[in-house]
Amino acid sequence: MDKIRPEKAVIPEQGWQSLRRRNALLPRVAVLLTLALLPLGIIAVAQTQRAVEAARKTYRASLSAQTMRLAQPEREAIQNAQGITQGLADALVVMGPTDAVCTDLMRYSSLRNSQVVFLGFIDKTLRSDCNNYGKSYDFSGKEDLQEAMKRTSLTISYNPVGGASGKPVVIVRQPVFSEQGVFKGFVTLSVLPDNLVAQRKSDRMSENAVLVTFNDHGQILTADRPVDQLDAYLPANTTLSDLVGGGKQLFTESARNGAPREFAVVPIIEGRAYALGSWDPARPQIRARAFATFTLLFPLLMWLISLVVALVAIRLQVIRPVRILGRQMRDFAEGRRVFHSEALDSAPSELREIGETFATMAQKVIRDEADLENTVHERDVLIKEVHHRVKNNLQLMSSILSMQTRTAPSQETRNALRKVQDRLTSLAAVHRGLYETSMVSQVRVDMLLDELLRQLTTLGSSASTPLDVDFDLQPVVLVPDQAGPLALLAAEGFTNALKYGSAGPDGRRIIRVRLRPDPQMPEMVHFEIANTVKDGVKAETEQGLGVKLIQAFCAQLDCRMKSSEEEAGWYAMQIQFKVQQFEPDQHTPRV
């Protein structure tokens, strides 16, 4: 036998259609990989949230420091003013406010600080004779000064029209007491708020914030915007007086115009003056939102990239070679074709070894099947040749008996020889059917019986009594060990029907032959030969040789036989047997 060479074939790619298959590998890997990466994604999201929250806290905490830095001009000015007034108040304890040296001291102190507008002593009568201007002033019309006289403590206030300068000023008043603790008046220092605000103009950080300073009564001292524009920068639900005494504070609240703002409060002088930083949250929130969005999308992007890489790797390294191997196995199962695909050359070594093993096994199976087919063919030819030679020998014996019949001296001898000749003819017909069938292990017994019985019908017909034969033979397949005895039984039964049958009540001579499987038990087969008879015929045939042969053949079939005479003038022989399966080592029982 020629060596089988594997063919080369190209497996058409099915793309990503396998993703739509139920229970496919890629969807399962995608689900498992998703489950594997899910904890990492959850951890990344949690860390992102913590990072965003930490960034938020850091940003909010930085607002206090930035507000403190922006309020540096006011803090220095107010603290310097407090220091100057405190020193002058201590000096006035030992000197009179009407002394000439008092005016010189005030003028000298104001010249050392360029921000000072007015510096002087105001007594309890709301008059100032000791000041840096060297003039006498009456402040009795100033309500805030009258209120300060009642408090007799350090006060910081704002006056839109200064009593001495006529300009908007921030006023720091330091109380003066005698050595006996009697309140004598205030050392008052005024500075221009515009100068303080102007120092922040060059600070780039102030572009994102608006700073407002206020005193312990919630009165605005300085502001980066005009008072009529502060609704967009001051909290809507919290007054400035509510922020007094709270130290450093951070809160988020809508401004009076409804826009969200970040607010930071830092003390300039605790309990006396504070700075409020109003920050626009838009830009920091945009940065935080962008950071949060990126970090939230990062696990999703990581999952997507990992999933694509894993699926592509699995498809190229596993699914594609396995699909090629599956195609090879299907082609081998359907048409015993073996091909080699170059795509397996780049597959992993494990799959490549499987492919090589399958190719070797397939070639061996093809060779073994070819040898087996040759053996089976030779066996079939031999069996058919045996049946053919048996048929020829039987026909030869039938011819010899025919010659002997013609020379027989008596009619009884000729009849006996003719019966033997008919049985040999039946046997020859059976063997002819066996070697003419396409499969020696299975015989279409309905076709065999049809040919055999029709031949007997031709031999048994006579012109005196017309014969009608009704064949009802349904397809039945039997093994040769059952087909032979059934054919011989049918031949004997049909011969008896020809011999002993007679015309029925209607004057017709009829033989009915039926072969059919049991509709409820397909493994059981029913066979029947019935013929029209006259009364008394059954008793004549019960002890004949044909009946004994029929019983012997029935024993070979392991069947149940039933003979009966029907009321309508019919005699019937019925058998029922079970279909045997083909077994190579079974042998035909002897009669």
Side-chain angles (χ1 to χ4, degrees), residues 13 106 160 240 275 326 329 359 446 546:
E13 290 295 330
M106 297 296 177
L240 296 179
M329 294 178 183
D446 56 304

Side-chain angles (χ1 to χ4, degrees), residues 105-413:
L105 182 60
M106 297 296 177
R107 185 178 292 113
Y108 174 78
S109 298
S110 65
L111 292 176
R112 290 175 60 87
N113 194 331
S114 60
Q115 295 182 352
V116 175
V117 177
F118 175 82
L119 178 60
F121 173 74
I122 302 176
D123 60 19
K124 292 191 296 183
T125 63
L126 306 184
R127 292 186 58 83
S128 176
D129 296 322
C130 175
N131 52 69
N132 61 330
Y133 287 109
K135 298 180 182 180
S136 179
Y137 293 98
D138 184 5
F139 299 106
S140 58
K142 303 299 181 181
E143 295 181 359
D144 61 328
L145 184 57
Q146 296 176 5
E147 182 67 24
M149 289 293 178
K150 296 178 182 179
R151 297 174 59 186
T152 67
S153 61
L154 175 66
T155 61
I156 303 173
S157 62
Y158 170 77
N159 194 340
V161 181
S165 64
K167 299 178 181 180
V169 290
V170 174
I171 304 171
V172 178
R173 297 185 179 95
Q174 183 71 40
V176 179
F177 296 92
S178 65
E179 294 180 351
Q180 293 77 24
V182 179
F183 174 70
K184 299 171 61 177
F186 285 104
V187 176
T188 303
L189 187 149
S190 301
V191 295
L192 296 176
D194 292 342
N195 294 337
L196 303 179
V197 174
Q199 295 181 31
R200 284 195 298 274
K201 298 298 184 182
S202 60
D203 194 335
R204 297 183 59 183
M205 188 177 297
S206 64
E207 297 177 0
N208 302 327
V210 173
L211 188 73
V212 176
T213 60
F214 57 95
N215 62 11
D216 54 347
H217 291 282
Q219 182 186 27
I220 296 176
L221 303 178
T222 63
D224 291 345
R225 300 288 188 276
V227 177
D228 57 352
Q229 299 179 11
L230 289 180
D231 287 346
Y233 307 100
L234 295 179
N237 302 321
T238 304
T239 62
L240 296 179
S241 58
D242 295 337
L243 303 175
V244 175
K248 292 184 179 182
Q249 303 174 53
L250 289 171
F251 61 96
T252 301
E253 188 176 314
S254 298
R256 295 175 182 177
N257 65 348
R261 301 287 294 183
E262 297 280 357
F263 296 99
V265 179
V266 293
I268 297 176
I269 297 178
E270 184 64 47
R272 300 301 177 183
Y274 297 87
L276 172 68
S278 178
W279 298 84
D280 184 2
R283 291 178 62 182
Q285 281 190 350
I286 288 176
R287 290 194 296 268
R289 187 179 298 111
F291 173 74
T293 302
F294 173 76
T295 51
L296 288 175
L297 289 178
F298 180 76
L300 180 61
L301 182 62
M302 180 180 65
W303 166 79
L304 184 60
I305 294 175
S306 302
L307 187 63
V308 171
V309 171
L311 294 182
V312 170
I314 292 175
R315 179 176 178 271
L316 294 178
Q317 298 299 321
V318 179
I319 295 180
R320 187 165 177 262
V322 169
R323 186 182 297 134
I324 294 173
L325 289 174
R327 178 64 180 276
Q328 289 180 343
M329 294 178 183
R330 285 195 302 271
D331 288 349
F332 177 75
E334 294 172 358
R336 290 298 187 265
R337 292 178 298 171
V338 182
F339 62 86
H340 173 73
S341 176
E342 296 179 353
L344 288 178
D345 295 339
S346 59
S349 58
E350 295 82 359
L351 296 178
R352 190 166 60 250
E353 291 177 0
I354 293 175
E356 294 173 354
T357 302
F358 169 74
T360 302
M361 179 197 69
Q363 294 176 15
K364 187 176 184 300
V365 168
I366 291 176
R367 286 194 297 267
D368 293 344
E369 286 184 348
D371 295 340
L372 183 60
E373 288 177 359
N374 291 336
T375 303
V376 171
H377 178 69
E378 292 175 357
R379 174 182 175 275
D380 291 344
V381 171
L382 180 59
I383 292 176
K384 289 184 178 181
E385 181 64 22
V386 170
H387 286 302
H388 180 65
R389 291 181 180 274
V390 172
K391 186 267 299 183
N392 290 340
N393 292 335
L394 291 174
Q395 286 183 343
L396 178 59
M397 295 172 63
S398 178
S399 299
I400 294 173
L401 288 175
S402 178
M403 296 173 59
Q404 188 67 38
T405 300
R406 288 194 294 269
T407 60
S410 62
Q411 184 64 35
E412 183 179 356
T413 302

Side-chain angles (χ1 to χ4, degrees), residues 384 432-444:
K384 289 184 178 181
R432 183 178 63 201
L434 292 175
Y435 80 74
E436 287 181 351
T437 184
S438 58
M439 297 181 62
V440 297
S441 62
Q442 294 180 338
V443 179
R444 278 286 300 274

Side-chain angles (χ1 to χ4, degrees), residues 19 108 179 205 211 265 271 428 492 496 502 529 547 579:
L19 285 174
Y108 174 78
E179 294 180 351
M205 188 177 297
L211 188 73
V265 179
E492 289 295 334
N496 286 343
S502 58
I529 297 179
V547 174
V579 177

Side-chain angles (χ1 to χ4, degrees), residues 416-463:
L417 292 175
R418 190 174 292 112
K419 290 179 180 180
V420 176
Q421 181 184 3
D422 292 340
R423 291 186 174 94
L424 291 176
T425 302
S426 299
L427 285 173
V430 171
H431 283 279
R432 183 178 63 201
L434 292 175
Y435 80 74
E436 287 181 351
T437 184
S438 58
M439 297 181 62
V440 297
S441 62
Q442 294 180 338
V443 179
R444 278 286 300 274
V445 71
D446 56 304
M447 299 174 61
L448 177 61
L449 295 180
D450 183 78
E451 181 180 357
L452 175 61
L453 298 182
R454 288 186 186 278
Q455 182 179 357
L456 294 176
T457 299
T458 303
L459 297 176
S461 299
S462 62

